[in-house]
Amino acid sequence: MRYFFSIRGVLDERNRREINRIATNAFMFLWLYTAIANIAFIFLPQTKLPKSAFIGFAFLNLVIGWYGVSVYVSHGISKLKLNYQEVSVDDYPRAVRKAWQHGAWVGVVSGIVVYVMVANISGFISWTAIGLSLLIVLINWTMDAQREIGHIVKVK
Amino acid sequence: MNRVREYRKHAGVSQFALAEKVGVARQTINLIENDKYNPSLKLCIRLAEELGTDLNTLFWKVDDIN
């Protein structure tokens, strides 16, 4: 739950209650959307639909169902500041170190994904694949670490 | 209005320190003090224990006790 919703702070009873509220809203929206969109699609005249309509429907589902809900959830989490981490002054260096480690993981995983994708096109020992994936590692590592550090709040 | 803030200040602990002791976020303590969140009975008991008092004193209306 902590990783799924990108929660960095304490997951206490109040935060759990708020997350449950956000998740319930997302579920109700998805439940209604799935029912309405699929029923509407079933009743469309199938013979007159081009093949691209099916791909378009799948794409629409991704945009509304996956991306839309992801944006809604992350907006709700940000609004409640659940992605912020409050640490004491003494613990701040440790939290920053953990943020860099988190960034490293994100960078490495995205680098591997990019490497596999590019290597499929340009070959597994190509400089393009290696260079591009290393660049992605560096960019995502820095960006994620900076974002994580920005969400650390020092408390006296 | 509950008396969590009053007893916390009397005990000389910050919201952050109290939150760490009872195992919640500092924001939760702030919301409780401002009557914007109703804590569970379990959390109320933990707060009363940490602040060295009882539930009635912390959360019951003063007029009702008198």
Side-chain angles (χ1 to χ4, degrees):
Chain A
M1 189 143 131
R2 180 177 282 277
Y3 286 100
F4 189 81
F5 289 104
S6 299
I7 294 160
R8 297 286 174 263
V10 180
L11 195 57
D12 62 8
E13 59 173 50
R14 183 247 170 190
N15 291 347
R16 279 183 192 275
R17 200 178 291 181
E18 290 300 323
I19 291 162
N20 282 342
R21 185 182 58 78
I22 292 168
T24 306
N25 286 344
F27 169 76
M28 286 194 301
F29 168 75
L30 277 177
W31 191 84
L32 272 175
Y33 171 74
T34 309
I36 292 167
N38 285 296
I39 289 168
F41 198 73
I42 287 167
F43 282 100
L44 288 173
Q46 303 293 320
T47 48
K48 289 178 182 173
L49 283 175
K51 196 183 171 185
S52 60
F54 293 92
I55 297 162
F57 183 64
F59 185 72
L60 191 73
N61 283 340
L62 269 179
V63 170
I64 295 174
W66 184 76
Y67 183 73
V69 169
S70 300
V71 168
Y72 168 73
V73 168
S74 58
H75 176 70
I77 298 289
S78 294
K79 206 174 162 188
L80 291 164
K81 294 195 170 178
L82 296 180
N83 53 353
Y84 279 75
Q85 186 186 2
E86 287 192 340
V87 295
S88 62
V89 179
D90 295 337
D91 284 340
Y92 184 73
R94 192 174 58 88
V96 170
R97 199 167 55 246
K98 281 185 87 174
W100 280 108
Q101 285 169 357
H102 185 271
W105 273 109
V106 171
V108 167
V109 169
S110 52
I112 290 169
V113 170
V114 168
Y115 176 74
V116 170
M117 282 166 66
V118 179
N120 265 324
I121 302 162
S122 61
F124 278 89
I125 319 172
S126 75
W127 285 112
T128 317
I130 295 167
L132 197 65
S133 54
L134 282 176
L135 186 70
I136 293 294
V137 168
L138 202 66
I139 290 169
N140 280 354
W141 184 358
T142 319
M143 274 175 61
D144 187 80
Q146 289 296 327
R147 193 179 63 243
E148 289 286 315
I149 291 166
H151 287 176
I152 300 171
V153 182
K154 269 192 271 188
V155 179
K156 286 184 182 175
Chain B
M1 181 74 86
N2 64 62
R3 300 172 73 188
V4 174
R5 175 172 285 146
E6 182 190 329
Y7 270 79
R8 178 180 61 76
K9 286 189 172 172
H10 187 257
V13 288
S14 64
Q15 285 185 342
F16 187 67
L18 181 62
E20 278 200 325
K21 280 180 182 172
V22 298
V24 296
R26 187 198 58 78
Q27 291 94 332
T28 305
I29 297 292
N30 188 44
L31 290 168
I32 292 169
E33 286 184 353
N34 290 306
D35 268 345
K36 286 180 180 172
Y37 173 65
N38 289 325
S40 67
L41 184 59
K42 195 178 165 187
L43 180 54
C44 292
I45 292 168
R46 289 280 297 129
L47 283 169
E49 280 173 353
E50 282 299 330
L51 296 173
T53 182
D54 56 78
L55 288 178
N56 272 358
T57 315
L58 264 191
F59 293 102
W60 215 248
K61 288 177 185 171
V62 180
D63 296 343
D64 292 351
I65 296 170
N66 297 332

